Amino acid sequence: MRRRFAFLGFVSTLGVAMFAYGCGATGGNSSSGGDGGDAGDWSSGNAQGGQGGDGGCLFNCGSGGNGGTPNVQQLIIAPLNPTLNVVDLNKPTQVFTVKTQDGQDVTNQVTWVYERPDIGDITSATFVPTGNVGGTGVLTAKLNMAEASTNVTVNVKKNINTAGLDPAQMAAFDTPIGPDPGMQIVYPYHDTVFPLGVLAPEVQWNGVGGTETYRLKITEKHMEYVTYFQTGAPARHLMNQADWESIGASGTGAQSDPIMVQLSRLAPGGGAYAPTSQVWHVAQGRVRGAVYYWELPGVCGGNSNGRILKIKPDSATPEEFFNPGGCWGCHTVSRDGKTMMATLDGSLPFPQITIDLTQAPAQYGAIPPGSGIGGTFSAFNHSSDKILVSNDAASNPSNSILRIVNAAGGGVLNANVMGNGCGEPAWSPDGNKVAAICGLGGGGWVFDASSGYLATGDVAADGITVGNVHPIVQQAGSPGRPAYPSFTSDSQYIAFGRPTQGSRSTGNGDLWLVKNDGGELKKLAIASSDNKSFNPVFAPQRAGGYYWLVFVSRRDYGNTLVSTNRQQLWMTAIDDPPTAGDPSHPPFYMRGQEGCGLSENAYMAQEPCKEQGQGCVTGADCCGGQCVKDPASGAYICGEPPPPGSCSETGNACTTKADCCNPVDECIDGFCAQKPPK
């Protein structure tokens, strides 16, 4: 049997009520606990299941065959499957008992483990909800070689009354007088999918007058959130960030557990209008990494220099991490998050530099100004030691070429990777393919080229030679030309834009997805329904059953940015796998970026990985891929790779599913994770 190397996060759910251990126990019906009935719902109070079920073998555990003694000393936990309803932090508790099958009470001898400490915890056999997060978790009692488990479900209801309404006014929302004559929610969009850990969306609506009184009711399977408030026009409401995170954590999957959103207002003559409703979804996974984007010059206080800013999905403000004292942009970031390549504004061809992102503030890296490397856009390989660099021919895109250079100093390793007329490169996360826009034609810069097709090439084992260069998406068939390809984190698909003015974001544009061999070409019409969407880039890891795609759009942002025609960052969920005719979903605005800015050319990458001994949350934070519990401090730190014969816990690095300790985990983008339900 493989040894477990590192525990990360919550105790794994085994998906069974009882589990038999050792001592010759067969694991048959004699050692399994019954279902115990349903867990109840909101209307049933603190519903309880049956009286407990058989657990694993404790002692004197014969096989029971040929007249032998059956498993008479098993654990029985009671009650089974209780449900606790928390209302406004009034937290009911649940006392459990554990007995052997012959009636011996061992409650005070067992060790308790509840897998969802964000929902609640148990001390001295009494389970207490946190009152913040709802959901279902497995409670396990352990004694010697035996254990017994049951589900514990907590439902949470929270009411906030900042409007100071009396009970009659609040009750009016439950008996509406008729439909609202004009209110329309303009942000978020119906059916938007959010990941965990992003900033709460600011709900925005039109069709109302001055200061009015509202109720926002958000309901999902295990949580009901109600807030009464007043606001004027333009009408907006931003819920508390902690409450938003509690709503998300109470979910069970993006499609199986939709969030019902109802916004209603008091009528001028008394009573309340019927709610205006939407459905949202919160995928049970966090999008990890940071978005590095170019803010164009001449905006936000007249700043004359373009600059690259950094923002995380949960960032309230962007970070200017590096300031070389001039206009710079056109960037990419290495897979380990340690190095950026960017372009300085200067003599032609523009100087290409690398930046050490592990420093604070960031410093010039191994390719400083004056190295002789020139061009614009670039892409790192999977191991971050080689860079695919465009060397654009000013005013003649058909002469543009791509080169592979050594990231350690800029030495040219392949002087012409895909032939003349190629630019806007991408390199697959597995290192096996490169993609670019080739067949570039027309005058001006490469990003002014009016013609071009999406091409790929295969990278040889030496990591330098590229062959089998061929088109996978022709220019014909849709307006504009393909632009700015980006590989999914598993290297299987490529997203790209189709702008109508070269690859600039000043004309019309929409987003597309294609398999890396040219099959399954699909327009991401839901995500880019505005026809003003450009520059897609995938997040470095999948999360919650989706790929996550950041892009630039000039669409309105609710009633905050209206008719500004201003490029801003948005994010959309893409189904994994993308089997639907259109696997995209309505996007959400990345709060925190500067609304005054023109945001361009986003690139999303991991934060710089951490070395052994540094604090971590998941294996993706660590250069070695392992986040382990330090036995001395109890804190999680980056640790060594597991020794041969060991397995990786959820969240830590893997190569195949067989590397993962938890049998329900898959190896997703190099880390053990369970695909949530949809």
Side-chain angles (χ1 to χ4, degrees):
M1 177 180 294
R2 295 174 303 158
R3 293 176 291 131
R4 290 177 177 260
F5 172 64
F7 284 90
L8 176 66
F10 303 137
V11 177
S12 302
T13 303
L14 299 180
V16 293
M18 313 302 172
F19 191 84
Y21 270 96
C23 302
T26 62
N29 291 337
S30 63
S31 62
S32 63
D35 291 339
D38 295 333
D41 54 31
W42 273 105
S43 62
S44 63
N46 293 334
Q48 297 182 0
Q51 292 302 307
D54 296 341
C57 174
L58 183 59
F59 51 84
N60 295 333
C61 307
S63 65
N66 298 322
T69 303
N71 296 346
V72 295
Q73 297 296 316
Q74 296 168 333
L75 296 184
I76 303 171
I77 189 171
L80 279 183
N81 304 325
T83 295
L84 306 177
N85 293 332
V86 177
V87 179
D88 294 333
L89 292 180
N90 294 313
K91 298 182 287 188
T93 61
Q94 178 65 62
V95 177
F96 287 87
T97 61
V98 181
K99 297 181 179 180
T100 61
Q101 194 171 28
D102 65 356
Q104 180 183 355
D105 191 324
V106 292
T107 304
N108 294 331
Q109 302 175 46
V110 301
T111 299
W112 297 98
V113 177
Y114 186 62
E115 66 171 351
R116 290 289 305 273
D118 57 334
I119 295 175
D121 205 354
I122 186 166
T123 304
S124 300
T126 300
F127 181 88
V128 181
T130 64
N132 299 318
V133 175
T136 298
V138 176
L139 175 67
T140 302
K142 299 181 179 182
L143 180 60
N144 297 331
M145 296 296 290
E147 64 178 54
S149 300
T150 187
N151 288 335
V152 179
T153 298
V154 175
N155 296 321
V156 176
K157 184 173 183 178
K158 185 172 185 178
N159 294 282
I160 301 172
N161 184 12
T162 59
L165 302 186
D166 59 38
Q169 290 173 309
M170 290 188 287
F173 286 98
D174 295 322
T175 55
I177 60 175
D180 194 296
M183 185 167 66
Q184 296 178 327
I185 299 176
V186 291
Y187 183 83
Y189 303 126
H190 175 69
D191 267 344
T192 298
V193 180
F194 298 92
L196 294 174
V198 298
L199 295 178
E202 185 171 27
V203 185
Q204 304 172 45
W205 60 98
N206 293 337
V208 297
T211 300
E212 299 193 55
T213 302
Y214 298 88
R215 181 181 78 172
L216 176 65
K217 182 178 181 180
I218 299 178
T219 309
E220 57 92 55
K221 185 175 182 181
H222 294 295
M223 186 166 187
E224 180 180 289
Y225 172 85
V226 179
T227 179
Y228 303 89
F229 62 93
Q230 292 181 330
T231 189
R236 304 169 191 153
H237 178 72
L238 180 61
M239 73 184 73
N240 177 273
Q241 181 66 23
D243 290 336
W244 168 247
E245 292 176 0
S246 293
I247 292 168
S250 299
T252 60
Q255 299 300 328
S256 63
D257 191 10
I259 294 176
M260 308 302 298
V261 182
Q262 296 177 306
L263 179 66
S264 48
R265 60 174 173 151
L266 291 179
Y273 295 122
T276 299
S277 300
Q278 285 189 340
V279 173
W280 304 343
H281 308 273
V282 178
Q284 296 303 291
R286 293 179 179 269
V287 177
R288 304 193 64 82
V291 178
Y292 298 85
Y293 66 99
W294 189 35
E295 185 177 83
L296 270 63
V299 296
C300 294
N303 175 35
S304 60
N305 291 324
R307 55 184 181 164
I308 298 174
L309 299 176
K310 171 185 175 182
I311 190 171
K312 301 177 186 178
D314 61 353
S315 299
T317 56
E319 174 188 349
E320 187 171 9
F321 58 93
F322 182 67
N323 186 354
C327 183
W328 66 299
C330 303
H331 57 286
T332 187
V333 183
S334 60
R335 302 292 174 190
D336 58 12
K338 291 184 174 183
T339 308
M340 171 181 285
M341 175 167 256
T343 302
L344 297 177
D345 188 6
S347 59
L348 299 178
F350 292 134
Q352 295 270 82
I353 59 169
T354 56
I355 301 162
D356 182 357
L357 299 176
T358 65
Q359 304 295 314
Q363 305 293 322
Y364 285 116
I367 304 177
S371 65
I373 300 296
T376 51
F377 294 100
S378 54
F380 282 85
N381 70 340
H382 64 296
S383 54
S384 306
D385 61 347
K386 300 178 181 67
I387 314 174
L388 182 63
V389 181
S390 66
N391 189 8
D392 300 339
S395 303
N396 191 1
S398 62
N399 283 343
S400 174
I401 62 170
L402 298 171
R403 300 183 292 177
I404 294 178
V405 303
N406 190 326
V412 177
L413 304 175
N414 185 334
N416 192 334
V417 178
M418 300 180 73
N420 285 13
C422 294
E424 300 170 11
W427 204 322
S428 65
D430 63 9
N432 295 329
K433 283 186 177 290
V434 292
I437 308 304
C438 293
L440 293 168
W445 298 101
V446 164
F447 38 80
D448 291 317
S450 57
S451 62
Y453 55 81
L454 175 59
T456 61
D458 297 332
V459 182
D462 62 8
I464 299 172
T465 306
V466 175
N468 189 30
V469 176
H470 65 285
I472 63 169
V473 177
Q474 298 286 355
Q475 179 171 356
S478 291
R481 67 161 174 87
Y484 297 120
S486 176
F487 283 92
T488 52
S489 51
D490 60 357
S491 304
Q492 296 302 302
Y493 294 86
I494 301 172
F496 61 95
R498 266 195 177 271
T500 57
Q501 293 185 3
S503 57
R504 294 180 183 265
S505 58
T506 51
N508 293 332
D510 45 38
L511 307 179
W512 292 75
L513 186 73
V514 67
K515 210 166 190 311
N516 64 16
D517 61 3
E520 302 178 27
L521 179 63
K522 299 175 180 181
K523 183 178 179 180
L524 303 178
I526 297 174
S528 57
S529 60
D530 59 316
N531 198 25
K532 299 177 182 178
S533 296
F534 313 88
N535 308 139
V537 61
F538 280 105
Q541 283 183 268
R542 285 169 282 182
Y546 296 92
Y547 304 101
W548 297 92
L549 190 70
V550 179
F551 63 98
V552 174
S553 174
R554 299 198 323 271
R555 71 181 71 208
D556 288 351
Y557 166 42
N559 55 32
T560 300
L561 297 176
V562 180
S563 300
T564 62
N565 208 33
R566 186 176 294 156
Q567 300 99 306
Q568 294 276 280
L569 301 177
W570 294 70
M571 183 180 288
T572 182
I574 308 294
D575 292 341
D576 172 26
T579 54
D582 181 355
S584 67
H585 296 266
F588 62 91
Y589 179 81
M590 291 195 68
R591 279 187 52 218
Q593 63 187 305
E594 295 180 299
C596 58
L598 298 176
S599 303
E600 282 278 7
N601 298 117
Y603 191 90
M604 193 167 189
Q606 295 283 14
E607 295 260 48
C609 64
K610 298 180 178 181
E611 303 295 341
Q612 289 187 21
Q614 292 184 282
C616 56
V617 176
T618 176
D621 298 333
C622 304
C623 299
Q626 295 290 331
C627 185
V628 302
K629 192 170 186 178
D630 180 14
S633 66
Y636 283 94
I637 60 172
C638 294
E640 297 179 357
S646 300
C647 56
S648 288
E649 291 291 343
T650 299
N652 283 342
C654 57
T655 302
T656 68
K657 175 182 173 64
D659 297 330
C660 301
C661 301
N662 193 333
V664 302
D665 278 351
E666 304 287 335
C667 189
I668 300 175
D669 297 334
F671 295 91
C672 296
Q674 181 180 356
K675 280 193 173 183
K678 291 188 179 180

